[in-house]
Amino acid sequence: MAAQPVPHQSTDKKRVKVYELRNNDWFDRGTGFCTAAFGMSEDGQRDPRVFVESEDQPDRVLLETRIYKEDSFHKQQETLIVWTEPTTGMDMALSFQEAEGCAMIWKFVNNVQQHHISGTAPDDGLSDDIVMVMPNPISLPPASMANLAEIESQMRGLSGSANGRDALTKYVLTEGFIGKLIPLVSDAEDLESLNDLHRLCNIMKIIILLNDTSIIEHAVSDECVIGVVGALEYDPDFPSHKANHRQWLEGEGRYKEVVRIEDSNIIKKIHQTYRLQYLKDVVLARILDDNTFSVLNSLIFFHQVDIVQHLQTNAVFLAELFNIFKSPQPDAKRKKEAVLFIQQCGTIAKNLQPPARQTLYNNFLAHGLLQVINFGLRHSDVAVRIGATDILVSMIDHDPQMIRSMIYRQLHEKQPPLTDSLIDLLLVEVDLGVKSQISDALKVLLDQNPPVQPEAYTKANGEYAVRAAARMPAAADPQQDNFLNVFYECSATKLFQPLIDLQGRPSMNFSVHQASMFTYLIEILCFFIRQHQHRSKFFVLNNDIVLRISQLLSCQENFLKLIAIRFLRQLIGLQDEFYVKHVSEKRVIGPVLDVLIETMPRDNLLSSACLEFFEFIRKENIKELVKHLVENYREKVQNLAYLDLFKTLAIRYDQAGGFTANMDYFIEADEEPRKRRPNAINPKTGGLMEHIAMDQAEEEYWNVSDDEDDIQAKPVNRPSSANDESPGTRPLVDYASDEEGDENLEAGALSADEDRQESGLRKADDSLRDVAPPPERLSEKRRREEDEEEDLSKMIQHKRRNSSSASSNASGVSGVLRKKKSISGARDTGGGPRKIAISISSNLRNRNGQSHSRSDDEA
C-alpha cells in the first residue's frame, strides 16, 4: 500500500511517543516520528491514516491507524491526541514533543472527521494546510429556563448515534454551552424549581458522558467546576436527597502546601487531578460507562505523570522537603504533613511505569526517605503511622532488594536497622491493618531466597520428573546472611518476647490487642521456620518456643487454639527429625488431644484441625509420634476409638509390639495392596518362576558349591538316608536344579498327598540330624550325583507323558505354596546350617528306589 504524504514534507514528521492502555495503565510502545497521509486501500479508495515510524528502527512501524467515520479522536491539552481503535477497542494516545507538531496532526484529523460528519468524501484537495471551517450541523434552543425540556430532549436524541455525539460535542465546545448553563443552576435554586434542577442535572450528565477530553477538562476548570457539580447535586433518581459536592470542593483547607510549588501550571494540574478523581469516584461513580471511565483515568494519569516528573527533577524542592525532618526546631504539624505528602507521591507512583517509579524512589532515598519512615513508624498519630507504613509497603512491592540495600548500609554504619522500627510498631500497634502490613513487610525483608522460579519438567518414560537443577537452592547472599545473623542475635528475641513471657503465666486470658499480636507473631515464626532452617531451630530450642505456644491451647479463644495447632502442624509437616523429636520430648501432643476430646463430637473448625493433625501423623507414618501418642495417652486414645483414625493408630502400635521399626509393614498393609515382585523367566521352558525372597545367610549358603564344602571345610555330621540307603551313597533328599524343579511343577510332578509326607520327612530329618556318617570320598560323591541326575531326568520324562494338563496346573500351584512354606519354615528354625525341605511324592520315591536297585544289579 503506497502512502501519499500531506504537503510540507519537511515539517511533517513530528517526534511522538505512542501509548496504549493495558489494565488501566498506559504502556509505552516506543518513540518515533508521526505523519498523517492518505493511503490507497485494497479497493482503490483513498483512506486517511496516521503513521508512526520508530526512531531507532526507521523500517519498523509503531502505529498505523485509519481515521474511520466512527472514530473519536480527541485533542487533550497541547501535546496529546487520544482515541479508541475501532477494530480492537484499545485506547491509544500520542504524546508529542512539541505543541506545534500536535496541532499539525490534529488539524489533519479534525478536517477528515468534519468531512465524514458532513457526508462528503475526502478529496485530493484535503490537506493539513487548509483550515476548513464547517458550519455546525445542529442547533439547540437558547439556554434558558423555558427551553430546558427541549434542550434535554434534543441532546438525548443526538447522543444516541456516533455522528450525533460528534456534532453535539463540537456544538458544546464552540458555543461554550456549559458556561451558558451554569447561571441557570442558581436561578433554579432561587426559584426552588426542582424540575428544572433535575433537567439541568440530566443535561450535565449527557454532556460529560460524551467522553470528550476537552469538555471534561473545561468542566473541571476553576471557572466551571462549582457550577457543574452544583447541577449534579440534584439527581432525579434521588428526588428527596441533595448532595453537597460544592461544599466539599470549595473547602480551601483541603489543599496544603508543605513546600511551596512555584510552577503555576503544576498547581493547576494538581487541582484538576483532585477534581477529576472526585468526579470519577463520587459524583459520577453510579452512572459511569467504560468509555467515560477510561477518559477520566487517562486525564488523571497524564496529569500525575507531569506532576511527578516536575517534583523529582526539582532538586531544590526535594531538599527543602526532606530538610523538614533534619531541622533543629521541631515542627510536629509540618512533619506530619510532609509524611502525608510523601505518601500521596508514593500512591501516585503506583500508577507509573516501573522505570519512572524507580527514579522517584531513588531520588527520595537519596534525600533521606528511611529517616522519614522511621519517624512516621514511631509517631503517636495513627494517620502518620499508616502513611509511613504505606510508603514502605509501596517500595517493598516495587523492589524489596532496594530496601534491603538501605538496611545493609544502616548495619554497616552501626545504625539501628529499619526492622527494629517495624518490630517496635508491631508490638504496640492497635490498628489491625497496619499490623498486617508490617507483618508482611518483615517476612519480605527477611526472606533469604529469591522468588521461587517455576519448576522445569522433563518428560521421561511417559512421566514428568522435576529436574534436579530446578531444586538446587540458590547461593546465599553474604550481606543478607549477615543481616539474618544480626537479626537473630539482637532483634528476634525482642520480636517474640510476648511468646517467651508466657512462661509461668497462670492465666491465659488475653486482651484483643494481645490475642491479635500472638496471631501475627506465630505466622511470622512459621515463615521463619520454613525459610531460616538452622537459625530458627536454634532459636526455637533455646527459647522453648514450642512449649510456650502449646500454652495457648488452654485459653478461651478458639482462634488462638487454632493458630497454636497450625504452628504444631507446621512443625510436623516439615517431617524434620529435629522437630519431631522436639515435639515428642515437650509432650505437646497431649494438649492437642485434650482439645479434640473437649470439642468432640461437635463438627467445627477446631475439631477438624485437630483431626487433620492426627490424620497427617497416621498417613505419613511418623513413627516417633505414633509411639509417643499411644504409649503416653493410651487411655485417651481408647476413649476416641469410635473414630477409625485412633482405632487404627492403636491397632498398628499393638501389632508392631511397640517397636516403631516394624510399623512400615502395617502401614503398607493398611494403605495399599502389597506390591508383588516381578517374576523371573525360566530360561529352559520360557515359563514364569515365582520369586522367593531369601535373606543374606541363605543366599551365602546356597552360593557355596558342594565341592568347596568337601575340600575346604571339615567333615560335618550328615543324617542317614530315610530310604534305607547307605549314607555314603544317598543324601537325605534328592535335590533337583531350579529349572528342573519348575518343570516338575509345570508337569504336575508333585502329588496331592505331599503335605503328609512332608511332615514325616521333617520328623525323620530332625531325628537323624545328629548322626555322624563317615567321610565321603570325592570320586564317590561325583559318581553318585551323576547317577541321581540321570534317574531324575528319566522320571521327569515319564511323568510328562502320563500327566494331564489339569492335574499339572493344580499340582503346580500347590507345589509352589508348599515350597514357600518349606523355605519360610527353614528360615525361622534356629541352630545349625539352614536348609530348605522339599517333599516329593511316593511315586517318585518308589521309582527312585527301583532305579537304584536296577543300577546295583547291573553293577
Side-chain angles (χ1 to χ4, degrees):
M1 179 178 60
Q4 197 171 25
V6 296
H8 309 294
Q9 179 69 19
S10 61
T11 59
D12 283 353
K13 295 185 178 182
K14 303 299 179 182
R15 198 166 184 265
V16 68
K17 273 186 173 291
V18 182
Y19 291 93
E20 65 180 32
L21 189 63
R22 296 181 183 175
N23 298 325
N24 294 328
D25 190 13
W26 287 101
F27 175 75
D28 187 0
R29 293 176 57 174
T31 304
F33 295 98
C34 180
T35 57
F38 286 97
M40 298 298 296
S41 63
E42 296 179 357
D43 54 0
Q45 295 182 357
R46 295 166 58 80
D47 294 329
R49 296 180 180 271
V50 176
F51 302 90
V52 177
E53 297 176 353
S54 175
E55 182 179 32
D56 300 330
Q57 303 175 6
D59 296 336
R60 179 185 169 206
V61 178
L62 296 178
L63 174 70
E64 180 180 354
T65 182
R66 178 183 174 186
I67 306 175
Y68 287 90
K69 183 178 180 180
E70 296 82 5
D71 270 1
S72 180
F73 283 81
H74 304 287
K75 182 182 177 185
Q76 177 187 335
Q77 302 176 10
E78 299 294 331
T79 58
L80 289 174
I81 296 178
V82 295
W83 74 99
T84 302
E85 284 288 343
T87 56
T88 61
M90 180 77 69
D91 291 330
M92 305 293 297
L94 293 176
S95 177
F96 290 84
Q97 183 179 9
E98 298 176 353
E100 180 184 357
C102 180
M104 178 179 175
I105 300 298
W106 173 248
K107 188 184 296 184
F108 177 86
V109 174
N110 192 31
N111 289 340
V112 172
Q113 287 184 334
Q114 287 181 354
H115 271 71
H116 282 316
I117 293 173
S118 64
T120 60
D123 53 21
D124 294 342
L126 180 62
S127 63
D128 86 320
D129 62 341
I130 301 175
V131 181
M132 304 186 66
V133 181
M134 301 291 296
N136 288 319
I138 64 169
S139 178
L140 297 177
S144 63
M145 298 285 290
N147 296 328
L148 288 179
E150 180 66 21
I151 292 172
E152 180 185 1
S153 176
Q154 290 191 21
M155 281 189 170
R156 287 190 183 278
L158 291 170
S159 62
S161 62
N163 291 338
R165 292 168 66 88
D166 293 341
L168 183 59
T169 300
K170 291 181 177 7
Y171 179 84
V172 171
L173 290 174
T174 55
E175 299 295 332
F177 202 69
I178 294 178
K180 296 178 181 179
L181 292 174
I182 288 175
L184 299 180
V185 178
S186 301
D187 296 342
E189 288 179 333
D190 294 339
L191 296 174
E192 296 182 356
S193 176
L194 191 58
N195 291 332
D196 291 334
L197 289 171
H198 288 168
R199 292 191 182 98
L200 285 169
C201 179
N202 290 332
I203 291 172
M204 285 297 179
K205 288 180 181 179
I206 294 172
I207 292 175
I208 292 175
L209 292 178
L210 291 173
N211 304 330
D212 186 83
T213 56
S214 300
I215 291 178
I216 294 176
E217 284 185 331
H218 182 61
V220 297
S221 61
D222 295 339
E223 60 272 11
C224 295
V225 63
I226 300 300
V228 171
V229 298
L232 294 172
E233 288 180 352
Y234 298 92
D235 195 336
D237 294 336
F238 302 95
S240 60
H241 295 80
K242 174 185 174 296
N244 57 351
H245 303 317
R246 285 175 289 185
Q247 180 182 352
W248 182 267
L249 291 177
E250 285 176 347
E252 295 294 336
R254 304 193 184 282
Y255 174 71
K256 300 177 182 179
E257 279 187 332
V258 182
V259 177
R260 182 171 180 79
I261 300 175
E262 302 295 339
D263 194 338
S264 59
N265 189 29
I266 295 298
I267 297 177
K268 179 181 177 181
K269 289 184 177 181
I270 292 174
H271 289 306
Q272 287 186 349
T273 303
Y274 174 73
R275 293 164 186 167
L276 287 169
Q277 288 177 333
Y278 185 80
L279 198 67
K280 175 175 71 75
D281 298 333
V282 180
V283 181
L284 303 176
R286 193 174 53 84
I287 64 171
L288 275 182
D289 56 10
D290 292 340
N291 293 331
T292 309
F293 185 81
S294 176
V295 171
L296 292 174
N297 276 336
S298 301
L299 289 172
I300 293 171
F301 171 78
F302 287 116
H303 284 338
Q304 289 177 343
V305 169
D306 293 339
I307 294 169
V308 171
Q309 290 292 340
H310 172 78
L311 295 180
Q312 72 175 3
T313 55
N314 192 340
V316 177
F317 177 85
L318 291 178
E320 187 176 355
L321 173 64
F322 287 94
N323 283 334
I324 296 175
F325 301 93
K326 303 176 184 178
S327 174
Q329 299 179 354
D331 188 352
K333 183 179 179 181
R334 197 178 183 202
K335 288 183 178 180
K336 173 183 176 181
E337 292 176 351
V339 172
L340 298 179
F341 174 78
I342 296 173
Q343 178 195 8
Q344 289 185 349
C345 292
T347 304
I348 292 174
K350 292 179 182 179
N351 299 323
L352 302 179
Q353 293 187 3
R357 196 185 319 157
Q358 183 72 39
T359 303
L360 177 66
Y361 289 150
N362 288 337
N363 289 331
F364 280 0
L365 288 172
H367 286 83
L369 180 61
L370 280 186
Q371 183 181 356
V372 177
I373 294 176
N374 279 320
F375 168 81
L377 293 177
R378 302 175 184 273
H379 202 275
S380 58
D381 192 344
V382 64
V384 179
R385 295 200 300 270
I386 292 175
T389 307
D390 193 23
I391 296 170
L392 179 62
V393 171
S394 299
M395 299 180 68
I396 290 176
D397 289 341
H398 172 66
D399 186 7
Q401 191 60 34
M402 177 173 56
I403 303 298
R404 293 194 192 107
S405 300
M406 300 302 297
I407 296 176
Y408 301 156
R409 185 182 305 173
Q410 288 178 328
L411 294 176
H412 181 71
E413 297 174 357
K414 306 300 181 182
Q415 297 178 1
L418 176 64
T419 50
D420 286 355
S421 300
L422 293 176
I423 292 172
D424 294 338
L425 179 57
L426 179 64
L427 297 179
V428 301
E429 182 58 56
V430 296
D431 187 277
L432 296 181
V434 176
K435 276 190 174 184
S436 177
Q437 287 184 316
I438 295 174
S439 173
D440 294 338
L442 282 173
K443 287 188 284 189
V444 173
L445 292 176
L446 292 167
D447 186 5
Q448 64 179 356
N449 295 326
V452 179
Q453 299 295 330
E455 292 179 330
Y457 290 91
T458 55
K459 191 170 184 180
N461 298 326
E463 296 181 356
Y464 288 94
V466 182
R467 289 180 182 172
R471 298 194 301 265
M472 294 178 62
D477 184 4
Q479 289 183 319
Q480 181 71 1
D481 195 62
N482 179 52
F483 172 42
L484 292 176
N485 290 335
V486 174
F487 175 81
Y488 275 95
E489 290 174 2
C490 307
S491 304
T493 304
K494 180 171 63 175
L495 173 62
F496 298 107
Q497 191 63 43
L499 289 174
I500 300 174
D501 291 341
L502 290 176
Q503 184 177 6
R505 182 177 178 127
S507 174
M508 289 293 113
N509 296 324
F510 305 105
S511 63
V512 176
H513 166 66
Q514 289 176 322
S516 63
M517 180 177 58
F518 287 139
T519 301
Y520 289 109
L521 289 180
I522 293 176
E523 286 182 355
I524 294 173
L525 184 58
C526 290
F527 176 81
F528 288 173
I529 288 173
R530 291 194 304 269
Q531 297 296 324
H532 315 147
Q533 297 181 0
H534 302 295
R535 296 183 180 90
S536 62
K537 286 180 182 179
F538 177 78
F539 180 79
V540 168
L541 180 64
N542 192 37
N543 294 277
D544 212 2
I545 294 295
V546 173
L547 202 57
R548 301 286 77 80
I549 293 179
S550 67
Q551 291 181 243
L552 298 177
L553 293 171
S554 60
C555 66
Q556 297 296 325
E557 291 81 3
N558 284 340
F559 70 91
L560 283 179
K561 296 179 182 178
L562 283 170
I563 195 67
I565 294 173
R566 187 191 310 170
F567 172 76
L568 297 176
R569 173 66 174 79
Q570 171 80 32
L571 292 186
I572 67 172
L574 296 175
Q575 299 193 29
D576 190 317
E577 185 178 357
F578 170 81
Y579 287 119
V580 170
K581 290 185 177 180
H582 191 62
V583 169
S584 178
E585 291 173 358
K586 297 301 179 181
R587 304 175 68 90
V588 295
I589 294 185
V592 180
L593 201 59
D594 294 336
V595 172
L596 178 61
I597 294 174
E598 292 176 4
T599 56
M600 293 300 289
R602 291 170 297 182
D603 292 332
N604 52 29
L605 186 59
L606 190 57
S607 62
S608 299
C610 295
L611 289 173
E612 196 277 336
F613 178 85
F614 291 107
E615 175 64 22
F616 181 81
I617 295 176
R618 184 199 67 82
K619 183 179 179 181
E620 297 298 329
N621 186 26
I622 306 179
K623 306 171 189 176
E624 185 76 21
L625 296 183
V626 174
K627 180 179 179 181
H628 170 76
L629 178 65
V630 180
E631 285 184 353
N632 296 280
Y633 309 104
R634 174 176 285 276
E635 184 178 353
K636 296 178 181 179
V637 171
Q638 289 177 350
N639 293 335
L640 294 170
Y642 61 90
L643 298 173
D644 293 338
L645 167 62
F646 293 95
K647 183 178 179 180
T648 304
L649 287 175
I651 291 175
R652 287 179 182 173
Y653 176 80
D654 294 337
Q655 288 176 338
F659 298 99
T660 57
N662 297 329
M663 291 184 62
D664 286 337
Y665 170 80
F666 300 100
I667 291 295
E668 294 176 1
D670 289 340
E671 294 294 337
E672 58 182 354
R674 297 183 63 186
K675 298 181 180 178
R676 295 181 59 88
R677 298 186 61 176
N679 295 327
I681 303 296
N682 192 322
K684 293 186 177 181
T685 63
L688 294 177
M689 295 191 301
E690 181 70 18
H691 184 87
I692 301 176
M694 304 280 287
D695 60 17
Q696 187 63 27
E698 292 173 355
E699 291 288 347
E700 293 178 357
Y701 176 78
W702 292 109
N703 287 336
V704 177
S705 66
D706 293 337
D707 297 341
E708 294 174 354
D709 291 341
D710 289 322
I711 295 175
Q712 298 178 3
K714 294 180 179 180
V716 296
N717 296 334
R718 291 181 178 270
S720 61
S721 173
N723 294 327
D724 297 332
E725 294 179 296
S726 65
T729 58
R730 294 283 304 201
L732 176 63
V733 179
D734 289 336
Y735 289 100
S737 65
D738 291 340
E739 293 82 6
E740 293 170 347
D742 289 332
E743 293 174 357
N744 293 338
L745 294 178
E746 294 176 359
L750 300 180
S751 63
D753 60 345
E754 285 179 353
D755 289 335
R756 294 188 299 271
Q757 297 173 3
E758 177 185 355
S759 59
L761 286 175
R762 226 179 252 155
K763 291 179 181 179
D765 178 63
D766 294 337
S767 61
L768 300 177
R769 182 173 297 171
D770 296 332
V771 179
E776 183 182 20
R777 289 182 296 179
L778 183 60
S779 59
E780 294 178 353
K781 180 178 179 180
R782 287 179 178 174
R783 185 171 59 253
R784 173 179 53 79
E785 289 177 350
E786 292 175 358
D787 295 340
E788 289 172 356
E789 291 178 358
E790 182 179 357
D791 294 340
L792 285 175
S793 62
K794 292 178 181 180
M795 286 187 290
I796 290 172
Q797 294 175 359
H798 178 74
K799 289 302 278 182
R800 279 182 178 174
R801 289 192 298 268
N802 297 333
S803 61
S804 62
S805 59
S807 62
S808 173
N809 293 335
S811 61
V813 173
S814 61
V816 170
L817 295 177
R818 278 186 293 272
K819 185 177 180 181
K820 287 185 176 180
K821 291 180 181 179
S822 302
I823 293 177
S824 60
R827 183 186 305 172
D828 295 335
T829 54
R834 299 183 179 180
K835 299 180 180 180
I836 295 180
I838 299 178
S839 60
I840 58 177
S841 64
S842 57
N843 295 331
L844 286 175
R845 196 157 46 245
N846 294 334
R847 290 183 178 273
N848 193 11
Q850 294 174 4
S851 62
H852 274 281
S853 300
R854 288 194 301 269
S855 62
D856 292 337
D857 295 339
E858 293 172 358

